[in-house]
Amino acid sequence: MKTILVTGGLGYIGSHTVVELINSGYEPIIVDNLSNTSIDVLNRIEQISHKKCVFYQIDVCDKVALSSVFEKHIIDSIIHFAAFKAVGESVEQPLKYYQNNIGGLITLLEVMQEKGIKNIVFSSSCTVYGEPDSSPVNELSPIKKASSPYGNTKQIGEEILTDCGFLNCVALRYFNPIGAHSTALIGELPLGVPNNLMPYITQTAIGIREQLTVFGNDYNTPDGTCIRDYIHVVDLANAHVKALKFIETHPDNLFDVFNIGTGEGYTVLDIVNMFEKENNITLKYKIGPKRAGDVEKVWADNSKAKTQLQWQANHTLVDMVKSAWKWQLALQESK
Ligand code: UDP
């Protein structure tokens, strides 16, 4: 059984990935500093998978602590999620983002090099494409200047990984993950006021927020609101399993990158309407000003992931909006 170190393994995408790793016969070792999640997620992963998980509360910037994990376990590959991800906060506190996202990556890579481990899957983002000249974007589309320090940490991260010739690395460029596990035991746990669309919608629907503000309706799109490629978090989690298998079967790969999106673009109002219709809810929302730094439209050309990773998205937008609401209801009940 292959052992996979999952940094940030109790976060939103990390927790769903740990479940899919166990389903696929891998042994995950979870490292998380709990800065943006709860220890409760560990119990919930164990409930879903009927398996005890190895967990270390460690910050990936702490080299001594991180090294000790490699002494206790024979690690085959690493999936590196641990990073800060709030775009707005990264503008306010850029050094916090460079320190954690770049510092954490470098520390991890130093330990990997010292221990002779080369396999890594890196969490990247479609934010590296900035405002693309056209969509869908493929992996050869130009990398535009990042619109935030957060986005820049993903660009720099990819560059660092490209330069590290000792690695066998796959970077996955995530589009917009939404939704939750079908058991409603794990999902997105935003602390404070959510920045992202789906948690804002579900919190408004349940009454935690008064109303959703749709950021701008005069974009050059069919209904004037921005277009994104929303992907079910479980499909995204499965892309990591496929990436590991790719690495296993391409041992001489140095660095490769894949878009992980459904290939379909939806507007903000499409998502609102679908959420209302499928969950039989009327959502309070208003149109507000544009949000600074927002890209007008972006969706994925996912053909490279389909042909080379043998990955495909199996969940529909209906699954996404329904599972997101089921998760919000379950969260409410567990309080
Ligand atoms: N959005 C919105 N209201 C919100 C949050 C997001 O209208 O309260 C819009 C945002 O302008 C973008 C889309 O929803 O067009 C997705 O935003 P999100 O922050 O979820 O992801 P991003 O694409 O910015 O990474």
Side-chain angles (χ1 to χ4, degrees):
M1 190 185 273
K2 292 210 159 74
T3 300
I4 314 297
L5 180 76
V6 186
T7 75
L10 296 186
Y12 175 43
I13 307 171
S15 58
H16 289 83
T17 301
V18 166
V19 169
E20 297 309 312
L21 286 173
I22 296 170
N23 286 344
S24 303
Y26 288 97
E27 169 95 36
I29 307 284
I30 302 171
V31 161
D32 201 302
N33 67 357
L34 302 181
S35 66
N36 194 25
T37 187
S38 149
I39 186 64
D40 207 32
V41 175
L42 181 63
N43 308 326
R44 288 157 171 261
I45 291 172
E46 291 176 345
Q47 251 177 280
I48 295 171
S49 57
H50 306 291
K51 216 180 160 269
K52 273 265 160 224
C53 284
V54 180
F55 167 68
Y56 296 98
Q57 186 176 347
I58 283 175
D59 190 316
V60 286
C61 296
D62 181 344
K63 191 172 173 187
V64 173
L66 192 60
S67 288
S68 72
V69 177
F70 289 76
E71 270 138 40
K72 292 194 190 92
H73 304 274
I74 298 170
I75 309 276
D76 187 74
S77 302
I78 287 142
I79 305 181
H80 181 47
F81 292 106
F84 293 147
K85 61 171 184 176
V87 174
E89 185 188 51
S90 79
V91 176
E92 306 289 317
Q93 300 180 63
L95 296 180
K96 176 176 166 182
Y97 274 68
Y98 289 113
Q99 164 62 40
N100 189 51
N101 294 10
I102 303 300
L105 175 64
I106 292 173
T107 305
L108 174 64
L109 293 174
E110 282 176 351
V111 176
M112 287 175 69
Q113 190 172 33
E114 283 165 21
K115 306 288 179 193
I117 291 160
K118 59 180 202 158
N119 298 340
I120 179 166
V121 179
F122 176 67
S123 298
S124 190
S125 164
C126 67
T127 181
V128 301
Y129 299 116
E131 178 76 63
D133 302 326
S134 65
S135 271
V137 283
N138 68 33
E139 291 80 355
L140 299 174
S141 299
I143 301 295
K144 298 282 184 67
K145 185 174 165 30
S147 63
S148 69
Y150 160 76
N152 206 21
T153 65
K154 294 299 173 190
Q155 292 189 1
I156 296 170
E158 286 193 9
E159 285 173 0
I160 291 172
L161 291 160
T162 312
D163 285 343
C164 289
F166 67 93
L167 294 176
N168 183 359
C169 175
V170 163
L172 299 180
R173 290 181 180 158
Y174 309 156
F175 283 69
N176 288 57
I178 58 172
H181 197 262
S182 57
T183 57
L185 282 165
I186 54 172
E188 194 168 3
L189 269 178
L191 292 181
V193 182
N195 293 302
N196 297 111
L197 179 62
M198 188 49 77
Y200 211 104
I201 289 178
T202 58
Q203 289 197 5
T204 305
I206 212 151
I208 300 174
R209 309 283 153 211
E210 213 200 314
Q211 65 178 340
L212 170 76
T213 303
V214 174
F215 297 140
N217 70 345
D218 59 353
Y219 285 102
N220 182 23
T221 62
D223 63 23
T225 64
C226 294
I227 297 180
R228 295 287 183 276
D229 184 332
Y230 295 92
I231 175 166
H232 197 294
V233 66
V234 172
D235 284 329
L236 178 55
N238 269 311
H240 296 79
V241 176
K242 298 287 188 178
L244 285 178
K245 296 204 184 297
F246 178 89
I247 287 176
E248 286 162 18
T249 50
H250 296 76
D252 298 323
N253 174 65
L254 294 178
F255 178 83
D256 218 334
V257 56
F258 295 91
N259 284 343
I260 306 296
T262 63
E264 304 278 345
Y266 289 96
T267 67
V268 177
L269 290 179
D270 287 336
I271 301 297
V272 169
N273 294 334
M274 184 73 86
F275 183 86
E276 291 188 314
K277 176 167 165 265
E278 293 302 326
N279 295 312
N280 209 6
I281 284 169
T282 306
L283 194 75
K284 247 184 115 185
Y285 71 88
K286 63 170 187 200
I287 306 293
K290 287 179 176 170
R291 180 169 70 176
D294 258 344
V295 166
E296 182 172 86
K297 46 189 163 203
V298 61
W299 64 95
D301 176 338
N302 60 12
S303 48
K304 188 178 174 193
K306 276 186 172 159
T307 54
Q308 296 191 32
L309 296 184
Q310 271 94 50
W311 170 86
Q312 63 173 35
N314 294 319
H315 294 81
T316 63
L317 194 60
V318 173
D319 300 328
M320 300 182 216
V321 296
K322 281 189 150 175
S323 63
W325 181 230
K326 193 176 161 194
W327 162 242
Q328 183 71 62
L329 290 171
L331 257 187
Q332 185 81 352
E333 260 173 42
S334 68
K335 276 189 182 146

